[in-house]
């Protein structure tokens, strides 16, 4: 296939008027930037789109426009590359993004020659941006950053998108209720719970700034009882237009602050809710009996995601009975279960075998030539084999 072409020019009316070529009414990806800020998009009418951007006060402050052109582009390919660029620019951490939440068009889907556009062509694009010193980090570096993995702009699967939309609907429906409303989401490691919450907090914060929205001026938070994840969320907030770092807190800080202010938050998302304390922990300034109970008490709506298989400490011991004893007194939605596995690249038979093993059921080990599965007599032997792979 032909090579990618990237045209960079001043972002002004004269440059737009001089545009000429097949790409002016053809699918293209573009980005507008200055030294600190970037906006990324795609269009099939580039001149009209750029003229519209010039009328926008935020976009007008951007000084350069770059068009990414390829004669084989189609709308699925440009949606795909636009979304990837947004996520890579975010994780590159050089620019603050002006982009808003992605639309339903960005649902994860296959299309003709996706592997070529998604991998080969995108690698050519990113390499060219590196060569021109528009971005700073390699794809490998970016893909291993937590900020990339938790980006609120990730393409969502159909299941994840349905959940995101359901959460937004629940929030709009119950924001003016007299009593707290609780919605629980359950899922094992690797099903994309945190990615959904990241996209939800971004969308809710955008709606909180729209006068026509029922969520206008709402005071919303995402809580996580995990220091490194909190750092990652705050990093994302520093580079995304709709978010601020104060939207992200640890549960104890949130509870103590609400008590001090004597006012409820509106919408509170709780990531890794299985890490919430189920007993007092004075050393960490939590003196009540249960963090989930206190979060509900100080919020109008609580959306909590958890994995009942990740109970790590006795002071954070959760089971179904304890969970229901707390939320049973409130208005709730039926627990939503996320099931599609993204982290494990294995057949359904292999995933099912591992699920059964976790439930203390031993079945016949499936044969999966694409998945290297071994059982060791000791952790030391396993460690030696892993070290030998380096």
């Amino acid at each position: 296939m032909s090579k990618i072409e990237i045209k960079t020019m001043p972002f002004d009316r004269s440059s737009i008027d001089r545009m000429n070529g097949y790409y002016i009414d053809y699918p293209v990806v573009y980005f507008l930037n200055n030294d600190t800020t970037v906006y990324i998009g795609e269009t099939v009418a580039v001149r009209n789109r750029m003229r519209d951007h010039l009328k926008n006060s935020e976009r007008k402050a951007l000084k350069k426009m770059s068009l990414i052109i390829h004669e084989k582009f189609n709308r699925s390919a440009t949606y795909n590359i636009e979304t990837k660029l947004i996520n890579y620019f975010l994780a590159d951490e050089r620019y603050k993004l002006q982009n808003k939440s992605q639309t339903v068009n960005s649902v994860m889907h296959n299309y003709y020659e996706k592997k070529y556009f998604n991998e080969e062509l995108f690698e050519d694009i990113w390499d060219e941006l590196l060569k021109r010193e528009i971005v700073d980090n390699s794809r490998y570096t970016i893909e291993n950053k937590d900020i990339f993995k938790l980006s609120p702009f990730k393409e969502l699967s159909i299941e994840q998108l349905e959940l995101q939309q359901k959460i937004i609907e629940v929030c709009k429906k119950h924001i003016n209720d007299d009593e707290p409303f609780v919605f629980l989401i359950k899922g094992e490691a690797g099903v994309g719970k945190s990615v959904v919450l990241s996209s939800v907090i971004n969308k809710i914060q955008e709606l909180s700034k729209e006068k026509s929205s029922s969520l206008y001026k709402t005071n919303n938070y995402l809580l996580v009882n995990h220091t490194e994840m909190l750092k990652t969320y705050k990093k994302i907030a520093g580079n995304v237009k709709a978010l601020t770092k104060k939207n992200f807190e640890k549960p104890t800080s949130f509870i103590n602050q609400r008590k001090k202010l004597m006012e409820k938050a509106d919408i509170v998302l709780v990531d890794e809710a299985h890490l919430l304390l189920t007993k007092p922990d004075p050393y960490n300034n939590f003196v009540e009996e249960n963090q989930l109970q206190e979060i509900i008490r100080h919020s109008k709506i609580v959306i909590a995601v958890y994995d009942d298989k990740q109970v790590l400490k006795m002071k954070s011991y959760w089971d179904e009975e304890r969970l229901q004893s707390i939320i049973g007194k409130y208005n709730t939605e039926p627990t939503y279960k996320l099931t599609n596995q993204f982290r494990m690249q294995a057949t359904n038979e292999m995933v099912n075998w591992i699920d059964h093993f976790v439930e203390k059921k031993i079945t016949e080990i499936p044969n999966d030539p694409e998945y290297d599965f071994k059982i060791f007599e000791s952790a030391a032997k396993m460690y030696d084999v892993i070290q030998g792979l380096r």
Side-chain angles (χ1 to χ4, degrees), residues 55 141 146 240 281 287 297 315 353 358 360 383 388 390:
K55 297 173 186 176
T141 299
D146 288 337
V240 175
D281 186 5
V287 297
R297 186 174 291 158
K315 65 181 181 181
W353 188 94
V358 171
K360 301 179 182 178
Y383 177 82
R390 290 187 171 185

Side-chain angles (χ1 to χ4, degrees), residues 169-185:
E169 288 168 9
V170 162
C171 292
K172 290 178 177 178
K173 182 178 178 181
H174 296 284
I175 191 61
N176 294 314
D177 286 3
D178 294 329
E179 298 295 324
F181 189 89
V182 182
F183 184 20
L184 295 183
I185 297 142

